[in-house]
Amino acid sequence: MLIGATTVGTLTDILGRRRMLICCLTWFSVMTGLCAIATSPEVFGIFRFLAGLGGVLPTASALSGEYSHPKARNLVFAIIFSGFPVGGILAAFTGMFVIPRFGWQAMFLLGLLPLALIVPVALKFLPESIAFLRAKGRHAEAERTARRWSITLEDTQEEAPTTTRPSAETGPNSMSPVKALLSRDYIVATLCFLVMSCLCLFMIYGYNTWLPEIMRQAGYSSGSALGFLLMFNLGAVVGQLLISLAADRLGSKPIIVTTYLLAAVAVILLSLRLPTAVLYAAVALGGVGAMGTQTFVLAYVSKYYPVRMGATAMGWALGFGRLGSMLAPPLLGLIIGARLAFQWNFYALAVPGVIGAALIGLVPRAPWTGSPGRTREGGRARALPAGADLIMLLRDSPALNAPHSAKKNTAPCAGITPQPPTSRR
């Protein structure tokens, strides 16, 4: 998944969101289904490795971020990433029914369902990024996509910046997405996002892998220990949906600091001898802190970078975050194997939350914030690639602007926003 997310994320900015997403869905589904006919552990491992190369998440995240309204982007990401805990719960219950009756192979055959159910729908209805089409000079296709989805396009000339910063022709916008991601303008933010994603996945996989075992060591029954894991996932779903509403109003940074610290405090509470009901609440808060933070970090990434490198940034954040998911299980396993007190496992999960809360403060303002002729949203400016017209897009969706339906209103979509008269970070 590390290789798949970083590679596919980069290719997505070159080849387009729609094409890559459909290809990745097909690839992932087929490779998962082939696991059912594996003749040896080695062949099974190869198929699982190949399935992980299907980088669905960075592509889907980039496209969702571009089409979501800026005032609801964190909510959109919370809905999308709630699929992780919901899918985990459904897979567990499905396995309890399917495996005893049909064998483990049947679970992997169910992996072919996206190929049969989702890919045909995506082929018919999934739109391409309008900003990507315009940046590639495919203006007629962009206009057809806009008409199909009732999006109003207004083309205006981009104002020239009056600052002394490098122009788009000599700055990051003239570079390849990977070079721009590591350029002087973005390198600090990029490194912070990569490490923060790594810390989030360390906490998530630490919880999901070892929480039942740690709670058994603490003296709880197997049923109660599994109940803690279920509460972790349920808390993640409900909590991040609720907190996303605050994130869209208050901005990403304060919410990310809060959820990181929430994860750290929750896991410290688990190390104490508290009533069971309190521990269940702490586990639910831990789910919000760990999974919610990952969701809001990715939503922040989608707002921070220009459209032309958005999928690359998302892929790198998700891909390098996998280092945390690979480190957590063996590290906590070593602590358990060393027969240290069970509290040390929770301390190991609390440290990433504290570090992450500090790192978010090091993320600088987006490079083009405040430049004339650029767009702003949440303190982040987003510009099109050099040579492309500035697209002034899109009416607010009816759901978000029902009280103002009588007025002609343009609103951001496809990752491009008209510049408002005022902006709050």
Side-chain angles (χ1 to χ4, degrees), residues 130-325:
I130 295 177
F132 173 82
L133 294 174
R134 296 299 299 270
K136 296 297 183 181
R138 295 155 61 181
H139 301 286
E141 188 176 348
E143 292 172 359
R144 287 196 301 271
T145 301
R147 286 195 301 269
R148 181 181 182 186
W149 296 97
S150 301
I151 293 172
T152 302
L153 300 179
E154 283 185 46
D155 298 337
T156 61
Q157 294 296 319
E158 182 177 11
E159 300 174 27
T162 57
T163 66
T164 58
R165 297 186 62 85
S167 67
E169 289 74 10
T170 59
N173 279 336
S174 63
M175 304 177 183
S176 69
V178 174
K179 287 184 178 180
L181 202 65
L182 301 176
S183 66
R184 183 179 62 181
D185 284 331
Y186 291 105
I187 183 64
V188 174
T190 297
L191 293 177
C192 288
F193 287 134
L194 297 185
V195 175
M196 286 191 292
S197 181
C198 184
L199 295 172
C200 288
L201 288 179
F202 182 96
M203 293 188 291
I204 291 170
Y205 278 79
Y207 267 111
N208 279 324
T209 304
W210 287 111
L211 183 60
E213 178 62 27
I214 296 171
M215 299 312 290
R216 278 195 292 269
Q217 284 193 356
Y220 294 91
S221 66
S222 296
S224 297
L226 291 174
F228 283 118
L229 186 58
L230 178 63
M231 186 60 66
F232 173 81
N233 286 283
L234 289 176
V237 174
V238 177
Q240 71 181 8
L241 288 173
L242 295 176
I243 295 178
S244 66
L245 300 175
D248 285 320
R249 293 180 61 86
L250 303 177
S252 296
K253 277 193 174 183
I255 295 300
I256 292 173
V257 171
T258 301
T259 52
Y260 262 128
L261 295 179
L262 186 64
V265 170
V267 80
I268 292 297
L269 290 176
L270 292 176
S271 70
L272 306 177
R273 296 288 184 177
L274 298 173
T276 303
V278 176
L279 291 178
Y280 273 115
V283 168
L285 293 176
V288 178
M291 292 193 180
T293 303
Q294 175 72 352
T295 299
F296 302 136
V297 166
L298 294 175
Y300 192 20
V301 170
S302 77
K303 296 186 292 184
Y304 191 89
Y305 294 94
V307 174
R308 63 180 293 272
M309 53 192 288
T312 300
M314 197 73 65
W316 279 50
L318 286 165
F320 279 86
R322 289 292 158 184
L323 294 175
S325 69

Side-chain angles (χ1 to χ4, degrees), residues 93-115:
F93 283 114
T94 303
M96 292 170 60
F97 175 81
V98 170
I99 293 176
R101 293 166 175 81
F102 306 103
W104 62 267
Q105 293 91 341
M107 287 297 294
F108 288 95
L109 289 175
L110 291 176
L112 293 170
L113 286 177
L115 182 63

Side-chain angles (χ1 to χ4, degrees), residues 353-370:
V354 177
I355 297 174
L359 274 178
I360 188 63
L362 300 180
V363 177
R365 292 172 65 88
W368 302 111
T369 298

